[in-house]
Amino acid sequence: MFKQQIQKLFLSLLLFGLSLYQPIIAQRNLSDYVNTLQGTNSKFELTRGNTYPTTALPFGMNTWTPQTGTNGDGWKYQYFKETIRGFQQAHQCSSWSNDYAVFSLMPVTQSLKLNENDRQSGFSHTNETAKPYYYQVNLDNGVNTEMSPTERGVHMRFSFPKNEKSYVVLDGYTGISGVEIDQKNKRISGYVHNGRGMERFEHFKNFFVIEFDKPFKAFGTWDNTNGAKKESNTSAEGKGKGAYIQFNNGADVQVKIASSYISQEQAQRNLNNELGKAKNLEATKAAAKQIWNEHLSKILVEGGSEEDMKTFYSCFFRASLFSRKFYELNEAGEPYYFSPYDGKVHEGYMYTDTGFWDTFRAQFPLNALLYPEMHGRYVSALLDAYEQCGWLPSWSFPSEAGSMIGNHAITLFADAWAKGIHTFDPQKALEAYYHEATEKGPWGPANGRHGHKEYYTLGYVPYPKYGEATAKTLEYAYDDFCGYNLAKMTNNTFYENVFGRQMYNYKNVWDSGVGFMRGRKADGSWVPDFDAYEWGGPFTEGNAWHYVWSVFQDPKGLINLMGGEERFNAKMDSVFTVPNTVHVGTYGGKIHEMTEMEMAEMGQYAHGNQPIQHMIYLYNYSGQPWKSQQKSREVMRKLYNYTENGYPGDEDQGQTSSWYVLSAMGFYSVCPGTNEYVLGSPVFEKTTISLENGKTFTIKAADNSQQNVYINSAQLNESAFSKNYLTYQQLLDGGTFNLQMSATPNKKRGIQNTDKPFSLTEY
């Protein structure tokens, strides 16, 4: 009897503990591991991320940041700067593409100073807090500034020093703006129209509403083009128009801000919906913190160092910002949006601020795993964008910019379909891609297809007739594979045949004489004076060492071109052992990617840019998977951290962060458009992925350490597992992936042809 009572008590305690487990996970302050200053110590000559301290909710329409740069400067916040000149609403996804729809507020003391150079205040990082849900800095002018975000707005507080004059300056930034001051209701409303992505439509405006909780002692408008101010003026419109407010001395002012691309009325609705019930900044801060903790707990990592935890969650935060929601909710709570593609308002969902050349590789495959519902809406909205502007997006910021190379929207369609996300009409997607692949659009090299006629007739894009021609050939061939695979999966034999003819075109720029992909002239001859260390020319932000691996769809075919696995592996090894030599080539001088590769001291491995980021996982295809395990851990250890110097190059809209997040879990998406994630080596002893379907997938890496990076054995749900990849469906089914880690490689595991990941050419 006593034994039975003890057993019942033990069972009750166990069940009680289990019931607490999920709430404990949700309550963990994972967001406090995040440092939003990660990667901010960047400049034109050297990138450590090109990030800014983003204060936002996951995939929020707007973000907020302190501004150290001048109006219009793409480097809006640089860690080494010593003054802040404003607190911006921001949307920037790259310093190189600048920003759009920006306005800023700045607290000023003593006397009214309007110009950004006059009003700027010194600050110290010791007086700064930078978390996803909360940014705070105590400026040298004595004002403590705080911000906490909502999806389309922010809650600010300016705490002015006692007895000091207290002003807030609204700056209309670089383009046309309008302001209206409502003294009675303590409100400023208006709009801004600025940035490269907004000039296509004159009526494309970012409407804003700013509500203060303290009365206005004085106010007026001003012009940032000449510094002129008009005291007590309630409205202004034109280039660089702004406003200023004076409060009682030493005021403690709370500010609620929201904006809309649809209308002034919708901006007010967004403010009411998202900030209306918040009694103070603490309430908004607590709500934002809870959202981030729940979001970050989708991947719970355990058994790593404190530094690893900070790096992981800082990268996971950055991977959770793009693509941004571009839709809003009407009075019935239904989604609608102002389209950056046709300038009209439509019902439904829309997302923007991403460049597919970067993000198709890891950022979207991570989204597909963690947020399939959102991802399904995203790929469906791509067809809406196609209907609205006549082209599939390649670089949306917020409209189609056509930057970089390739036609990678098709990779998102194929990848989603392969993973069971069937939220779009595949026939329409294939038709849209066919149009993309056989025409050249008006906006940039990736809007439509540069050199498409020669690509189809010669089998490659000729150089020097077209810049970056060899890189374009490689990426077009991969894109055509994705079109082929989508057609094959949906029984569309017409497009399967159309795109299937080109997906091996990578072979046409392979020169066995030099052992690299190479620039080729229209007459079929090779471009003379080949130099594998020379950047640019037929390549994009890289050289032949980087692009020889850009055959995502057919690694076995590439292995065959190189003469078999032994030579292939030797070539891969040599990437890390040859000198980190840079020949500037057609760039004429060093670009930051060159400097970053040199600093990495990993030979010709240039992780700071996207083309080679998948390369270390190719050992899984060539009989030496243990090298992928070792190299992935080395890259994570050497090239990433959570500080202001946290990245080895441009972060690029979540891509470089997503590479880390996937790799730290122990796998990577080598060939989006298939359902496979190729194995590497997990950083943590235990990783629990909470899936949208309610299931969990747990990766347990016994004896994991900085030395024990090799997979000695693996079990999936207690069954021996020898393959070098996991499928999307295996991950979504949930379960446990048990790994036994070792300091020495197991050279017998994962070497059979049946263990190797997908390749068009059969093993």
Side-chain angles (χ1 to χ4, degrees):
M1 178 67 73
F2 178 74
K3 183 178 180 181
Q4 290 176 335
Q5 289 176 333
I6 292 294
Q7 288 175 333
K8 287 182 179 180
L9 178 61
F10 176 79
L11 182 62
S12 297
L13 290 171
L14 178 63
L15 291 172
F16 178 72
L18 289 173
S19 71
L20 291 178
Y21 179 67
Q22 277 301 115
I24 288 172
I25 290 177
Q27 290 167 11
R28 290 188 64 169
N29 289 322
L30 300 179
S31 56
D32 285 333
Y33 285 109
V34 175
N35 175 26
T36 68
L37 296 173
Q38 183 190 28
T40 58
N41 196 27
S42 299
K43 54 186 176 181
F44 180 89
E45 301 82 4
L46 177 63
T47 295
R48 305 313 300 261
N50 257 345
T51 60
Y52 52 90
T54 306
T55 309
L57 293 188
F59 310 107
M61 189 174 86
N62 302 321
T63 69
W64 291 84
T65 182
Q67 174 191 353
T68 64
T70 57
N71 285 352
D73 187 352
W75 284 264
K76 58 174 68 257
Y77 179 101
Q78 294 171 295
Y79 191 85
F80 55 85
K81 293 287 184 71
E82 297 179 345
T83 61
I84 288 174
R85 60 188 64 223
F87 296 89
Q88 289 186 353
Q89 184 185 91
H91 312 90
Q92 184 167 290
C93 53
S94 170
S95 297
W96 309 103
S97 58
N98 216 294
D99 205 349
Y100 67 91
V102 181
F103 60 91
S104 68
L105 271 67
M106 181 65 185
V108 176
T109 60
Q110 297 179 345
S111 62
L112 178 61
K113 296 177 282 289
L114 297 169
N115 180 276
E116 59 176 322
N117 294 320
D118 298 332
R119 70 177 187 247
Q120 65 183 332
S121 172
F123 78 107
S124 168
H125 295 299
T126 59
N127 295 323
E128 186 180 36
T129 305
K131 297 298 176 186
Y133 59 89
Y134 178 68
Y135 177 86
Q136 171 274 329
V137 62
N138 202 333
L139 298 169
D140 290 355
N141 67 11
V143 182
N144 189 48
T145 297
E146 302 166 273
M147 302 188 291
S148 286
T150 68
E151 286 194 336
R152 300 167 187 86
V154 71
H155 202 144
M156 288 187 177
R157 179 162 57 203
F158 301 115
S159 299
F160 290 89
K162 189 176 181 181
N163 298 324
E164 286 277 5
K165 289 184 177 180
S166 305
Y167 302 91
V168 170
V169 176
L170 167 65
D171 195 320
Y173 209 57
T174 58
I176 303 298
S177 55
V179 293
E180 290 193 14
I181 300 171
D182 182 348
Q183 183 182 24
K184 179 181 178 182
N185 292 302
K186 297 172 290 188
R187 178 188 297 128
I188 302 176
S189 58
Y191 71 88
V192 290
H193 175 99
N194 56 55
R196 296 179 192 173
M198 295 186 73
E199 71 264 355
R200 195 163 296 165
F201 306 106
E202 290 185 3
H203 64 297
F204 188 3
K205 297 176 180 178
N206 183 27
F207 300 94
F208 59 78
V209 177
I210 306 173
E211 293 185 352
F212 301 87
D213 72 338
K214 295 293 190 296
F216 301 167
K217 183 177 180 180
F219 59 86
T221 62
W222 72 289
D223 186 327
N224 69 18
T225 66
N226 56 24
K229 68 173 180 176
K230 294 184 178 180
E231 296 180 3
S232 303
N233 195 40
T234 58
S235 65
E237 189 171 18
K239 185 173 175 58
K241 295 297 190 270
Y244 66 89
I245 305 296
Q246 183 180 7
F247 301 93
N248 290 331
N249 292 357
D252 188 13
V253 183
Q254 296 199 69
V255 190
K256 294 179 179 181
I257 309 172
S259 65
S260 167
Y261 298 117
I262 297 172
S263 67
Q264 196 72 61
E265 179 187 30
Q266 183 61 41
Q268 185 68 55
R269 182 178 294 121
N270 291 341
L271 188 146
N272 294 342
N273 290 345
E274 298 182 7
L275 288 158
K277 295 181 180 179
K279 293 182 178 179
N280 49 38
L281 184 136
E282 281 72 23
T284 304
K285 176 182 175 182
K289 186 173 186 177
Q290 181 178 349
I291 288 170
W292 271 113
N293 283 338
E294 291 176 354
H295 180 91
L296 296 173
S297 70
K298 291 178 183 294
I299 310 176
L300 181 65
V301 295
E302 303 172 84
S305 68
E306 186 81 359
E307 290 75 15
D308 288 338
M309 294 280 285
K310 289 179 179 179
T311 301
F312 180 85
Y313 284 110
S314 294
C315 285
F316 189 17
F317 156 75
R318 192 70 57 182
S320 303
L321 298 175
F322 307 95
S323 293
R324 293 198 181 94
K325 297 173 181 175
F326 207 71
Y327 64 88
E328 305 170 51
L329 302 178
N330 64 19
E331 56 189 342
E334 298 167 339
Y336 73 140
Y337 60 91
F338 179 95
S339 169
Y341 300 106
D342 69 359
K344 300 176 182 178
V345 176
H346 300 267
E347 296 179 352
Y349 297 94
M350 183 55 68
Y351 300 81
T352 189
D353 293 351
T354 187
F356 294 159
W357 185 78
D358 299 307
T359 53
F360 85 84
R361 305 164 195 267
Q363 207 270 331
F364 283 108
L366 178 62
N367 280 2
L369 178 61
L370 297 179
Y371 332 104
E373 182 180 45
M374 181 186 74
H375 193 61
R377 292 170 177 169
Y378 185 90
V379 292
S380 178
L382 290 179
L383 290 179
D384 295 330
Y386 172 72
E387 291 178 358
Q388 291 160 20
C389 81
W391 301 90
L392 286 171
S394 63
W395 193 289
S396 52
F397 186 63
S399 190
E400 165 62 344
S403 302
M404 301 307 293
I405 64 171
N407 309 112
H408 298 311
I410 188 62
T411 73
L412 274 69
F413 289 123
D415 194 61
W417 202 272
K419 291 169 178 171
I421 301 172
H422 299 169
T423 56
F424 60 94
D425 182 340
Q427 174 72 20
K428 288 185 179 179
L430 290 164
E431 290 172 355
Y433 176 60
Y434 180 79
H435 171 259
E436 194 79 11
T438 57
E439 302 284 348
K440 178 65 195 79
W443 308 302
N447 176 225
R449 183 168 277 185
H450 255 172
H452 61 89
K453 292 180 181 178
E454 292 87 349
Y455 175 76
Y456 288 112
T457 56
L458 300 176
Y460 61 93
V461 181
Y463 183 82
K465 184 174 182 180
Y466 298 96
E468 308 170 303
T470 303
K472 288 172 180 173
T473 300
L474 295 169
E475 299 202 19
Y476 294 168
Y478 163 65
D479 291 337
D480 285 345
F481 157 74
C482 290
Y484 157 86
N485 206 32
L486 178 59
K488 184 178 180 180
M489 290 184 291
T490 57
N491 301 311
N492 191 320
T493 55
F494 174 77
Y495 283 118
E496 184 180 349
N497 291 330
V498 168
F499 301 125
R501 288 194 291 267
Q502 285 79 234
M503 61 189 179
Y504 295 101
N505 275 359
Y506 69 89
K507 296 179 181 181
N508 297 328
V509 290
W510 165 259
D511 181 3
S512 59
V514 298
F516 287 96
M517 305 295 176
R518 185 174 178 181
R520 195 170 187 179
K521 295 182 179 180
D523 65 5
S525 63
W526 298 112
V527 174
D529 303 320
F530 175 77
D531 179 357
Y533 297 92
E534 183 177 336
W535 285 57
F539 302 110
T540 303
E541 297 178 0
N543 63 28
W545 279 105
H546 309 145
Y547 276 92
V548 70
W549 314 107
S550 292
V551 187
F552 315 96
Q553 73 277 21
D554 197 18
K556 175 58 176 171
L558 183 61
I559 291 168
N560 291 348
L561 287 182
M562 290 190 181
E565 289 187 353
E566 184 176 350
R567 291 187 177 183
F568 182 84
N569 289 326
K571 187 84 165 185
M572 292 245 285
D573 294 345
S574 67
V575 169
F576 302 99
T577 58
V578 297
N580 59 351
T581 301
V582 166
H583 295 159
V584 298
T586 55
Y587 285 102
K590 274 194 176 182
I591 59 174
H592 70 92
E593 287 91 349
M594 299 172 186
T595 303
E596 290 142 17
M597 187 192 79
E598 289 177 317
M599 289 176 59
E601 295 185 338
M602 297 183 73
Q604 288 293 311
Y605 184 71
H607 189 84
N609 209 17
Q610 280 64 45
I612 205 170
Q613 287 182 352
H614 70 292
M615 169 256 178
I616 55 178
Y617 287 93
L618 295 181
Y619 287 110
N620 285 288
Y621 300 73
S622 57
Q624 295 186 342
W626 58 89
K627 290 184 178 177
S628 291
Q629 297 156 25
Q630 185 272 322
K631 288 299 181 188
S632 62
R633 289 288 286 274
E634 181 183 2
V635 169
M636 285 185 278
R637 177 176 53 83
K638 286 185 66 174
L639 302 186
Y640 286 82
N641 61 66
Y642 63 90
T643 73
E644 65 274 10
N645 298 315
Y647 293 101
D650 281 342
E651 198 287 316
D652 282 331
Q653 307 109 54
Q655 162 58 26
T656 304
S657 292
S658 296
W659 186 97
Y660 185 92
V661 172
L662 287 172
S663 295
M665 291 193 289
F667 46 78
Y668 185 71
S669 50
V670 170
C671 186
T674 69
N675 68 342
E676 294 179 358
Y677 294 83
V678 178
L679 295 186
S681 174
V683 169
F684 300 94
E685 292 179 12
K686 184 179 180 183
T687 302
T688 304
I689 308 170
S690 294
L691 300 159
E692 206 168 71
N693 61 10
K695 299 179 180 180
T696 59
F697 188 88
T698 303
I699 302 154
K700 296 181 179 179
D703 298 325
N704 200 0
S705 69
Q706 282 196 9
Q707 293 73 39
N708 294 359
V709 301
Y710 298 104
I711 298 174
N712 188 56
S713 62
Q715 288 184 321
L716 179 61
N717 298 325
E718 301 182 357
S719 296
F721 190 84
S722 63
K723 295 188 183 299
N724 296 331
Y725 62 90
L726 291 162
T727 68
Y728 181 83
Q729 285 72 26
Q730 286 170 330
L731 291 166
L732 251 63
D733 284 344
T736 303
F737 192 41
N738 285 309
L739 306 175
Q740 179 61 53
M741 307 303 291
S742 172
T744 56
N746 179 351
K747 296 185 178 181
K748 295 182 179 179
R749 187 197 167 276
I751 61 173
Q752 303 302 315
N753 286 340
T754 53
D755 297 328
K756 297 171 183 176
F758 171 83
S759 180
L760 276 171
T761 300
E762 293 184 3
Y763 293 101

